[in-house]
Amino acid sequence: GEELERTDELARFFEEKLLETPEVEKFVTTVYAQRGFIRAEFPDAIEQTQIPVAIKEQMVAFSYQFGGADVRVYGYGPSFYGGGGSPPNYTIRIFGYNYERVRDIAEDMKLRLERFSRVREVDTNAGGQWWGSEKSSEVVLELDRERLAMHDLSPRDVVRQVRASVGGRTSQGQIRVGGDELGFELKMAGYRELDVLDLAETLIVSASGNVRLADVATITEQDVLNVIEREDQQYQRSVRYEFRGPRKLGDRYRDAVIASTELPDGYRIEGQQTWSWSDEEQAQIYIVLGVSLVLIFMVTAALFESLRQPICVLLTVPMALIGVFMMFFYAEASFTREAYIGVIMMGGIVVNNAILLVDHVNQLRRKRGLPLMDAVVRGTLERVRPILMTSATTVLGLLPLVIFSDYADANIWNALGYALIGGLLSSTLFVLTVTPAVYVLFERGPERKRVRREVGPPVGITAAPAEA
């Protein structure tokens, strides 16, 4: 829809249907000018049943009544496919140099996918992006010329009256009002609210009387080509479907279907797409990360009154990245946008332990006058317990984000949790081992100069020759 009133009317239609469904516990509707959302919730008692699935399919059936609007019904929870995201939750991409051959491979894959009872709504015309589609639908009006002749109507008469009954532009005319030529268009009342069923009941005026449009024409929905996608000069076709079941089972079935597909030379299939971002998004994340490191450097430089010691603190960030990468590797999780946000958050957290250690070593050197090596060893030993306690409490507080998930990529909190937990564990180990060594390397030269300045230059002793 293009107007708030029309979108609101479509939403109210589905609200009435949901009100007639006693199994729906509550629903919340949000309507904008060109889109609307209805979120329906079910009681926990029917969560594991097929009732939500049946209601979903009912809503899909109701959506077929509307033309000019894209109505989608999504499902969450175990009754649909195990939770997480929205269907279609699997995409298989086929690449090849012959468009017809790629289409045939996709159609054959569709037949094999539909044999499995957990697979629903296989779409071989899905676009390269989740919101796009390679095909579009048009409502086609096919006129029956014999029936038109029986009612003394011509195709032009029907087309003109249908134009006046539906949205879009119609024939324009000119009229003189007060000496001025004004343009006008003629529309029937209620044309904005017209749907496919109402269109079939539209009365066509003829010389022999009024006749329903459905009596002289057939209204059908027809698929038309919307876009052709190519990647590296290869045609691309995406097969999307909904898998209702555990994620691991869905992955195994997808891999089995791909392995059983015979491909000509030069053709390939991608079953699992890696997340990617645009150059602009990549530049933004690097700028944000750089600014955060600069701010940390400025604060620590002001605290330590040094330009060397903040580098000891900042080096904990790359050391923490080792734990982040290992955590995602062993958890078999995807490094998503949320993971990058987690890395930025981690950079501000892991430096705390290094600041705590470096500041305490400085205090031992300044207030107690300990030599460099003694201050580093004693300061590290005295800060082992506070650093371990701080990291342990933070990690334990983050564990609920990841331990109650069915699989690694179940939700956005997993990526944040993996980044923070992995970075904290790795940084804790390296702060207690590597950071003291780096501190000694940076401060060894200035310490020697300070000792020489305090002791002074060495005093030479000369012996006078003995007299005979």
Side-chain angles (χ1 to χ4, degrees), residues 187-253:
K187 284 288 186 181
M188 300 295 292
Y191 73 94
R192 288 189 176 94
E193 293 77 22
L194 192 72
D195 57 29
V196 177
L197 297 179
D198 294 335
L199 179 62
E201 300 297 324
T202 301
L203 294 179
I204 305 298
V205 180
S206 66
S208 59
N210 298 336
V211 60
R212 292 188 317 125
L213 180 62
D215 294 334
V216 296
T218 303
I219 302 175
T220 58
E221 186 176 357
Q222 178 176 315
D223 293 336
V224 295
L225 191 63
N226 185 38
V227 63
I228 295 178
E229 296 179 305
R230 284 193 295 269
E231 182 176 318
D232 296 333
Q233 296 185 338
Q234 285 187 315
Y235 290 103
Q236 170 188 324
R237 202 174 189 93
S238 299
V239 180
R240 282 205 186 95
Y241 61 94
E242 175 186 357
F243 184 87
R244 299 176 179 176
R247 182 78 180 186
K248 291 184 178 180
L249 178 60
D251 292 345
R252 288 199 295 267
Y253 184 73

Side-chain angles (χ1 to χ4, degrees), residues 273-305:
Q273 289 76 50
T274 57
W275 169 78
S276 61
W277 54 10
S278 64
D279 294 338
E280 182 179 357
E281 292 174 328
Q282 195 171 12
Q284 288 177 354
I285 200 71
Y286 290 154
I287 290 173
V288 171
L289 185 58
V291 170
S292 64
L293 294 177
V294 170
L295 292 176
I296 294 173
F297 182 87
M298 293 172 60
V299 172
T300 51
L303 174 65
F304 300 142
E305 298 179 355

